[in-house]
Amino acid sequence: MPTLVEQIVYVSDMFGTAVFAFSGVLVAGRLRMDAFGVMVLAAVTAIGGGTIRDMILGATPVFWVRDPIYILVIITTALFGMSIAKLPRRLPWYVLPVADAFGLALFTVIGAQKALSFGTSGLIAVIMGTMTGVAGGMIRDVLAREVPMVLQKEIYATACILGGILYTVALEMNMDRVSAMLISMTAVFGLRVAAIYWHLSLPTFSLQRQ
């Protein structure tokens, strides 16, 4: 029987999956893709990072094969997204970015914890947490023929790295898992929302031509 915390994490994970899937739907809609294209972008955005993580860790079958509810959430989100795409009233601009920030925070922690459960070092856990949070969006952007957002000046992957470090350090200090999770998620969510609100970004690198 799952504990209350595990149930909350699971429900939150489904929410994050739906949010990431919806961002894939928006990109597909902007590119005027057909229904199959919408489903593909929704799926790779929502579960792409976790799939790569599980394959690297050897956690097979990967999580969505063992629990097909993830696929049902993605399909439902894609159908819902396509059905409301032509409605005149849209959500306030900040709703999706804030929800995305929450999903990013949760995915980071889930990825880091899964890596640690396989006996990896803290460094690998941070990488796996970051990959869980950002790799799906990178695949989505590549399929959409765009430079992935996380490779530009957006404070996105940086927030995941910070969250992963805080989570692993907190556990190393013998902090309980729930407290470590809350600290990590608060840091990722707070940094990402602050970056959105104050338009914070990382410095860019460019080669100057003579």
Side-chain angles (χ1 to χ4, degrees):
M1 183 72 179
T3 65
L4 178 60
V5 172
E6 291 173 336
Q7 291 175 356
I8 292 174
V9 170
Y10 182 75
V11 172
S12 300
D13 192 18
M14 291 301 169
F15 173 76
T17 299
V19 171
F20 274 39
F22 191 73
S23 73
V25 172
L26 294 180
V27 173
R30 191 176 72 243
L31 297 176
R32 298 180 179 275
M33 291 186 175
D34 60 18
F36 180 74
V38 173
M39 293 289 180
V40 169
L41 284 199
V44 298
T45 307
I47 60 177
T51 300
I52 296 173
R53 175 204 66 213
D54 282 5
M55 292 175 66
I56 292 175
L57 293 175
T60 54
V62 296
F63 68 102
W64 53 267
V65 174
R66 287 183 280 104
D67 186 357
I69 292 180
Y70 285 95
I71 301 300
L72 295 178
V73 168
I74 292 169
I75 293 173
T76 301
T77 302
L79 293 175
F80 174 75
M82 287 187 287
S83 68
I84 67 171
K86 297 182 179 180
L87 295 179
R89 176 173 293 184
R90 302 295 176 88
L91 292 172
W93 69 268
Y94 55 83
V95 172
L96 186 60
V98 170
D100 180 85
F102 174 79
L104 185 70
L106 182 66
F107 281 14
T108 299
V109 171
I110 289 175
Q113 176 56 41
K114 188 154 193 178
L116 292 173
S117 70
F118 274 75
T120 69
S121 65
L123 174 61
I124 300 303
V126 172
I127 294 173
M128 292 297 107
T130 302
M131 182 180 296
T132 305
V134 307
M138 293 179 68
I139 299 172
R140 175 202 64 207
D141 292 346
V142 169
L143 291 176
R145 294 179 295 180
E146 299 176 351
V147 177
M149 178 182 67
V150 299
L151 300 183
Q152 301 184 67
K153 60 183 180 179
E154 283 278 349
I155 295 180
Y156 201 83
T158 310
C160 294
I161 294 171
L162 173 63
I165 292 173
L166 289 176
Y167 184 71
T168 54
V169 169
L171 293 180
E172 284 291 330
M173 296 173 62
N174 295 320
M175 190 174 293
D176 64 274
R177 181 181 169 188
V178 175
S179 298
M181 181 182 298
L182 291 175
I183 291 173
S184 175
M185 289 184 62
T186 299
V188 177
F189 181 81
L191 179 56
R192 181 62 189 142
V193 170
I196 295 169
Y197 185 80
W198 283 297
H199 305 287
L200 304 177
S201 62
L202 297 173
T204 57
F205 170 76
S206 64
L207 293 175
Q208 299 295 327
R209 295 184 178 181
Q210 299 295 330

